[in-house]
Amino acid sequence: MLEKLYIVIPCYNEEEMLPITAKALLEKMQDLVSEEKIHPDSKVMFVDDGSKDKTWEIITKLYGAIPYFTGVKLSRNKGHQNALLAGMNTAVKYADIIISMDADLQDDINAIDGFLEKRAQGCEIVYGVRSSRDKDTQFKRGTARGYYKLLSKMGVEITYDHADYRLMSKKAVLALAQFKEVNLFLRGLVPMVGFKSDTVKYVRNERQAGESKYPLKKMISFAIEGITSLSIKPIRFITFLGFFIFFVSIIMLIRFLITWAIGNTVPGWSTIVISIWAIGGLQLLSIGVIGEYIGKIYLEAKARPKYIIETNLEEEGE
């Protein structure tokens, strides 16, 4: 029995890229249907994440003209991860399997065939993994690898060189919906779901139009979100650092007492100033890390909705 596939694509100000993406995905969906790899009622679901351009207008036109397209509009911009989750939680009502990807077509759509093959072998989750980072700058390549290693050391289970290009079964998406946290980092949450999983390697393409929605500032913010949402090791590190500084201070106290006892005291203004600045900096850093976690507790305690759907074209078409 053929499974119904929904491809979920978050969109934010993608009016330049959407026509290109829609054309490529239409051809891909038609090929998959003709090859009897997916159900004829399979669709591409665009999720408008509060765009300020003509993104939603383009989505509604595609929906009205071509049965392979549908869309969801959020009431306001909630960020990539929330928009992706909104699309997945909506698509799971109609689909048997869901593939998530970005609108820029940097994720090779031909990898979908590999996803479906792995699915046929019984996988509930299939991760799209970049085969290389040769097209990245040396800075981006180095920071990305360092970040994945840091996450692993923090105890976060994550697939190296995987973004949000993945296949999930209905069963897996419903399991993911049981995670209620407001601070989302799906690359770390999805592996927690469990079930049989595998990877498919692909070559990442260049963006064909529009601008990247992840400049350096957002990438840093996203990286911090990933660490603090899934690990408490930074706070434990502060505890160990406190013990270490206390231990060093005891040693220094003994040293100063011995120096005083033998009458070899020397005024040490530089030592005092350096100590004050060092301890003060560590205290501020520690307060900042703790504050980051307190802020997350604050947001989780409020339990605000992760997104609000303004329009679901699937429901309007029923």
Side-chain angles (χ1 to χ4, degrees):
M1 181 178 177
L2 297 178
E3 292 188 303
K4 190 185 296 183
L5 166 68
Y6 268 54
I7 301 178
V8 174
I9 304 178
C11 305
Y12 179 68
N13 294 342
E14 293 286 2
E15 65 176 353
E16 294 181 48
M17 192 65 208
L18 264 183
I20 302 172
T21 303
K23 180 181 178 182
L25 286 174
L26 175 60
E27 293 175 358
K28 188 63 183 177
M29 294 292 280
Q30 290 174 333
D31 289 343
L32 292 173
V33 170
S34 64
E35 293 168 6
E36 297 187 345
K37 292 184 177 181
I38 58 174
H39 194 279
D41 292 336
S42 299
K43 293 185 180 182
V44 176
M45 176 177 282
F46 294 110
V47 182
D48 180 16
D49 185 23
S51 298
K52 298 177 181 178
D53 60 4
K54 297 181 179 179
T55 294
W56 181 244
E57 182 180 332
I58 295 172
I59 293 172
T60 54
K61 286 182 178 179
L62 288 169
Y63 169 74
I66 306 170
Y68 280 113
F69 294 114
T70 186
V72 169
K73 179 178 175 60
L74 302 189
S75 61
R76 53 160 300 198
N77 178 253
K78 295 295 290 183
H80 178 273
Q81 297 290 279
N82 286 308
L84 180 54
L85 186 66
M88 293 169 62
N89 286 343
T90 303
V92 77
K93 301 174 185 176
Y94 318 104
D96 300 307
I97 48 176
I98 295 171
I99 291 177
S100 59
M101 63 183 296
D102 292 336
D104 53 20
L105 285 184
Q106 288 187 275
D107 299 321
D108 184 10
I109 60 175
N110 291 317
I112 293 175
D113 296 83
F115 287 173
L116 296 174
E117 289 176 9
K118 297 291 185 181
R119 171 59 180 164
Q121 295 170 13
C123 291
E124 303 288 345
I125 303 172
V126 184
Y127 301 98
V129 176
R130 296 176 63 167
S131 57
S132 70
R133 286 186 171 269
D134 295 337
K135 295 180 182 179
D136 289 346
T137 62
Q138 186 174 356
F139 172 76
K140 187 173 182 180
R141 186 163 55 246
T143 52
R145 288 174 179 171
Y147 178 60
Y148 283 118
K149 289 180 181 179
L150 177 61
L151 281 175
S152 295
K153 289 183 178 180
M154 289 290 180
V156 178
E157 184 181 351
I158 194 165
T159 303
Y160 273 56
D161 292 328
H162 164 70
D164 286 301
Y165 188 27
R166 68 178 76 87
L167 177 147
M168 296 182 70
S169 67
K170 188 184 192 80
K171 178 180 179 181
V173 174
L174 290 174
L176 179 64
Q178 296 179 42
F179 290 78
K180 301 301 181 183
E181 51 253 63
V182 174
N183 303 285
L184 288 177
F185 187 70
L186 293 176
R187 300 176 199 182
L189 284 179
V190 172
M192 292 183 182
V193 171
F195 302 133
K196 183 179 179 180
S197 63
D198 207 335
T199 62
V200 170
K201 292 188 176 182
Y202 69 97
V203 177
R204 192 165 171 83
N205 304 314
E206 297 289 340
R207 173 182 271 270
Q208 298 182 38
E211 298 179 353
S212 172
K213 302 304 182 292
Y214 268 90
L216 181 61
K217 183 179 178 181
K218 279 194 174 183
M219 288 177 66
I220 293 174
S221 177
F222 188 60
I224 294 173
E225 182 76 23
I227 294 172
T228 55
S229 295
L230 298 168
S231 174
I232 62 170
K233 284 194 175 181
I235 288 184
R236 287 180 178 171
F237 174 75
I238 290 174
T239 304
F240 290 124
L241 184 62
F243 277 116
F244 174 74
I245 293 174
F246 177 73
F247 178 72
V248 171
S249 68
I250 295 297
I251 294 175
M252 294 303 293
L253 176 61
I254 295 172
R255 178 179 178 273
F256 289 145
L257 287 173
I258 294 173
T259 303
W260 173 79
I262 64 178
N264 191 22
T265 56
V266 178
W269 289 104
S270 59
T271 304
I272 294 173
V273 172
I274 291 172
S275 299
I276 291 173
W277 278 92
I279 298 300
L282 286 171
Q283 286 176 334
L284 288 174
L285 174 63
S286 301
I287 291 170
V289 174
I290 294 170
E292 182 74 22
Y293 280 92
I294 291 174
K296 282 180 164 42
I297 294 170
Y298 170 77
L299 293 174
E300 295 290 346
K302 282 184 172 292
R304 291 170 177 166
K306 291 183 277 291
Y307 55 84
I308 295 174
I309 294 177
E310 180 179 322
T311 307
N312 178 2
L313 295 178
E314 285 288 82
E315 291 182 352
E316 290 189 356
E318 291 179 354

